[in-house]
Amino acid sequence: MLKDITIGQYFPGHSVVHRMDPRMKLILTIFYIVILFVVSNPFGFIPSVLFLAGAYMVAKIPVKMIARSIKPILPIILFTSILNLFFINGDSVIFTLGPLHMTWQGVYTAFRMALRLVLLIAGTSLMTYTTSPISLTDAIEQLLGPLKLVHFPVHELAMMMSIALRFIPTLVEETDKIMSAQKARGADMESGGLIHRAKALVPILIPLFLSACRRAEDLALAMECRCYRGGEGRTRMKQLHYSQLDFMGLLITVILLAVVIVLNLIPMPFLNWLM
Amino acid sequence: MEKKEISVSGLTFVYPADEEGMPGQVVLRGLDLTIPAGEFVAVLGHNGSGKSTLAKHFNAILQPTEGDVVVCGINTKDEDRIFDIRQQVGMVFQNPDNQIVATIVEEDVAFALENLGVPPKEIRKRVDEALKAVDMYEYREHAPHQLSGGQKQRVAIAGILAMRPEFIILDEPTAMLDPQGRKEVLRTIKELNRDFGTTVVLITHYMDEAVQADRVVVIDDGKILRDGTPKEVFTQVEMLKSVGLDVPQVTELVYELRKEGIDLPLDILTEEECYEALKKLLETTPLTTSN
């Protein structure tokens, strides 16, 4: 049962977005987040939404995947929206209920915040949907490269991440085995209250940790035998290359930023009552 | 050019005493051994005989307490050339899961070459070669956890092979595999030795694997007990049994039959040989019932 889990949320495919350089995807995602915070008037959201919708369509990621990525943060969105609805002060009051009063300004802020959060999550999810965890690790290693100058252990960090990714399925399988073994010895893991269940995890975690330590030792030895000596003087088989595709992506994103800034600058006096 | 061989002379290894007052443990006692390039050597010994410890000296994972280990003219004590040695002497371990570093088969095979700073194009070429040599080329884009034990172990072998080492040390590579996986791995090892001329040192306690080697070295209590061809070693059934080792099943059968006074050649190691010998025996001397 545990075996079926997928690592990350990678959605394999061969679309234009999938084929983009992971470094560029990472940069563009950060770029997009910045754009979302630059947007300051309601019309600025229109190109932002269109941009993301277009990207999802090109990547051939089904729309229900957006819903799936937003689901976990839905409570946060609702909570902030409700707070905004009732606690934003303004002059255009819709109704008052004791100490609470709802204003058009509040409605607008709640809507803006919710939309921004949704776009934020949908935008970053697009990156994880179209980039395998391992190429993401490569991208992070390369992009953080300059930090090596200040002795930040970039290579070590990336190596740790990729080893962690490598061992997730192995350890999941092992957890399964240990659980079966403990059940065979009469361990009860399904019944009882929260505390009882948490206690039932101890006999699973201890063997798991021990075995993970043993694996780590073996792996270290095997790595040493294969001449591993840190990031110094290391080459990579797969080189990352920026292609035309990546520059196209960059261009479109820059255009989006420009459009948003222009929309911000256009005076819109008819919206004053919302601000 | 130095002679291509691993030469071990007077090797003694003592695990240092620990802080809690446990005395140091002598694992190897003055061992001499030469492994010339091109050989297929099996090292036999029961648990705790020191065979794995010996293997770890071949590529400078452990340093001798006394004596020397020289690989292709480089002493393993030479710290500056440790990576030259490890590139010449590759090592494959028991648990295939714990020696695969990367999440994709071909990336794992490339790992050693990336560490050595080989240019990317050359890496690609060597990785493909190594994967083809172990017959795993069509799995190059799979994740390790999608493979069977035997396949994982072959990937681990490819990862070593990509370094183009002169020697491959395999430390009980089949101990954790099912019979099918054992067969695959053993076939791969034999092909490497035969087709690529790679020197293979196979550490094992499976007799039927050791039988297939050119030379068998039996280790007991940190010393070399016997060193010879499989036929020379396995005919000494009593000696092997006295150090807690088995002999191949057919050899045991022949040994017991001989004890009963039946005339069979002693140097029978494989099932085919046994079959032929028994057939010949039955044809020449028809069975007589005793009553």
Side-chain angles (χ1 to χ4, degrees), chain A residues 134 159 165-167 169 215 218-219 221-229 233-239, chain B residues 59 61 83 86 93 97-103 106-108 111-112 114-118 120 123 145:
Chain A
I134 200 72
M159 187 53 108
L165 285 170
R166 150 77 185 83
F167 275 91
R215 281 179 195 281
D218 277 5
L219 185 72
L221 186 62
M223 284 170 77
E224 251 188 277
C225 284
R226 284 158 83 184
C227 304
Y228 182 68
R229 52 195 134 172
R234 212 165 176 267
T235 48
R236 299 306 304 266
M237 175 171 71
K238 285 187 184 149
Q239 301 284 312
Chain B
N59 67 346
I61 293 292
F83 292 107
R86 290 193 183 150
F93 296 92
D97 269 326
N98 296 358
Q99 49 188 324
I100 294 181
V101 186
T103 43
E106 59 179 7
E107 298 247 347
D108 186 71
F111 181 72
E114 292 177 338
N115 290 335
L116 291 167
V118 176
I123 297 184
H145 64 98

Side-chain angles (χ1 to χ4, degrees), chain A residues 189-210:
Chain A
M189 272 166 274
E190 263 103 40
S191 64
L194 199 63
I195 294 174
H196 181 82
R197 283 198 198 189
K199 272 186 183 162
L201 279 180
V202 174
I204 294 168
L205 289 181
I206 290 176
L208 189 65
F209 268 104
L210 272 178

Side-chain angles (χ1 to χ4, degrees), chain B residues 201-257:
Chain B
V201 180
L202 175 66
I203 293 163
T204 183
H205 56 240
Y206 287 116
M207 301 304 137
D208 48 337
E209 287 177 4
V211 163
Q212 304 183 32
D214 301 331
R215 174 180 169 198
V216 176
V217 177
V218 182
I219 292 191
D220 185 56
D221 196 23
K223 285 181 301 244
I224 292 179
L225 204 60
R226 282 292 183 282
D227 182 351
T229 63
K231 289 202 193 273
E232 284 165 13
V233 172
F234 287 115
T235 44
Q236 293 168 316
V237 178
E238 273 127 70
M239 179 277 298
L240 287 172
K241 292 203 163 195
S242 72
V243 298
L245 287 170
D246 277 328
V247 290
Q249 271 183 339
V250 284
T251 313
E252 173 123 39
L253 174 68
V254 171
Y255 173 74
E256 292 296 333
L257 287 173

Side-chain angles (χ1 to χ4, degrees), chain B residues 140-160:
Chain B
R140 63 191 179 281
E141 286 181 353
H142 282 236
H145 64 98
Q146 297 170 317
L147 305 177
S148 74
Q151 290 174 326
K152 276 186 252 189
Q153 200 60 295
R154 272 149 63 201
V155 170
I157 294 174
I160 296 301

Side-chain angles (χ1 to χ4, degrees), chain B residues 131-194:
Chain B
L131 280 169
K132 280 174 188 158
V134 299
D135 203 15
M136 286 294 291
Y137 186 66
E138 60 265 51
Y139 293 96
R140 63 191 179 281
E141 286 181 353
H142 282 236
H145 64 98
Q146 297 170 317
L147 305 177
S148 74
Q151 290 174 326
K152 276 186 252 189
Q153 200 60 295
R154 272 149 63 201
V155 170
I157 294 174
I160 296 301
L161 214 57
M163 293 196 288
R164 294 191 179 152
E166 196 64 52
F167 304 86
I168 293 191
I169 318 289
L170 301 112
D171 192 352
E172 301 196 26
T174 59
M176 301 188 75
L177 305 181
D178 54 13
Q180 176 61 30
R182 279 182 60 192
K183 232 182 262 170
E184 284 170 20
V185 169
L186 207 66
R187 193 181 58 224
T188 307
I189 296 170
K190 279 166 73 183
E191 279 172 6
L192 290 185
N193 179 252
R194 198 187 57 217

Side-chain angles (χ1 to χ4, degrees), chain A:
Chain A
M1 75 189 157
L2 281 172
K3 243 182 175 174
D4 308 326
I5 62 145
T6 51
I7 310 164
Q9 346 182 27
Y10 182 46
F11 209 78
H14 291 283
S15 76
V16 176
V17 184
H18 283 86
R19 277 181 288 142
M20 274 171 79
D21 189 303
R23 288 172 297 177
M24 188 54 90
K25 279 190 265 189
L26 202 58
I27 294 171
L28 293 188
T29 306
I30 295 167
F31 212 153
Y32 186 68
I33 294 171
V34 172
I35 290 175
L36 287 180
F37 283 95
V38 169
V39 175
S40 72
N41 81 41
F43 292 106
F45 280 111
I46 296 170
S48 312
V49 172
L50 288 179
F51 171 84
L52 196 63
Y56 264 90
M57 260 158 69
V58 171
K60 299 200 179 74
I61 303 289
V63 182
K64 68 168 199 281
M65 297 296 283
I66 305 180
R68 194 197 284 183
S69 58
I70 288 167
K71 218 169 119 194
I73 61 144
L74 205 58
I76 299 175
I77 295 178
L78 286 179
F79 183 69
T80 51
S81 300
I82 290 167
L83 280 187
N84 278 322
L85 271 183
F86 293 107
F87 291 99
I88 295 285
N89 290 317
D91 337 304
S92 43
V93 178
I94 305 171
F95 66 85
T96 312
L97 197 82
L100 298 174
H101 50 92
M102 195 189 258
T103 62
W104 280 113
Q105 282 90 345
V107 172
Y108 169 65
T109 314
F111 176 73
R112 201 181 53 175
M113 286 301 188
L115 187 61
R116 187 175 279 165
L117 276 174
V118 167
L119 289 177
L120 208 68
I121 300 302
T124 44
S125 298
L126 180 64
M127 183 185 67
T128 52
Y129 285 148
T130 58
T131 318
S132 71
I134 200 72
S135 36
L136 211 54
T137 312
D138 282 351
I140 292 171
E141 177 172 9
Q142 297 237 334
L143 287 177
L144 294 183
L147 286 180
K148 276 181 200 157
L149 290 176
V150 292
H151 298 291
F152 184 79
V154 177
H155 166 75
E156 284 75 7
L157 204 71
M159 187 53 108
M160 272 163 57
M161 279 168 66
S162 70
I163 288 176
L165 285 170
R166 150 77 185 83
F167 275 91
I168 287 171
T170 309
L171 291 177
V172 165
E173 211 172 295
E174 180 136 50
T175 314
D176 240 0
K177 267 191 214 158
I178 295 172
M179 271 168 92
S180 308
Q182 300 293 33
K183 274 185 201 159
R185 294 186 173 90
D188 174 18
M189 272 166 274
E190 263 103 40
S191 64
L194 199 63
I195 294 174
H196 181 82
R197 283 198 198 189
K199 272 186 183 162
L201 279 180
V202 174
I204 294 168
L205 289 181
I206 290 176
L208 189 65
F209 268 104
L210 272 178
S211 130
C213 290
R214 208 169 302 133
R215 281 179 195 281
E217 245 175 71
D218 277 5
L219 185 72
L221 186 62
M223 284 170 77
E224 251 188 277
C225 284
R226 284 158 83 184
C227 304
Y228 182 68
R229 52 195 134 172
E232 207 77 20
R234 212 165 176 267
T235 48
R236 299 306 304 266
M237 175 171 71
K238 285 187 184 149
Q239 301 284 312
L240 295 174
H241 291 293
Y242 289 119
S243 65
Q244 258 183 330
L245 226 58
D246 299 305
F247 294 113
M248 287 274 287
L250 184 63
L251 188 68
I252 295 172
T253 318
V254 170
I255 292 174
L256 175 68
L257 178 67
V259 170
V260 166
I261 290 175
V262 168
L263 282 172
N264 278 353
L265 293 178
I266 297 175
M268 297 183 187
F270 56 93
L271 285 177
N272 279 348
W273 60 280
L274 269 180
M275 298 302 168

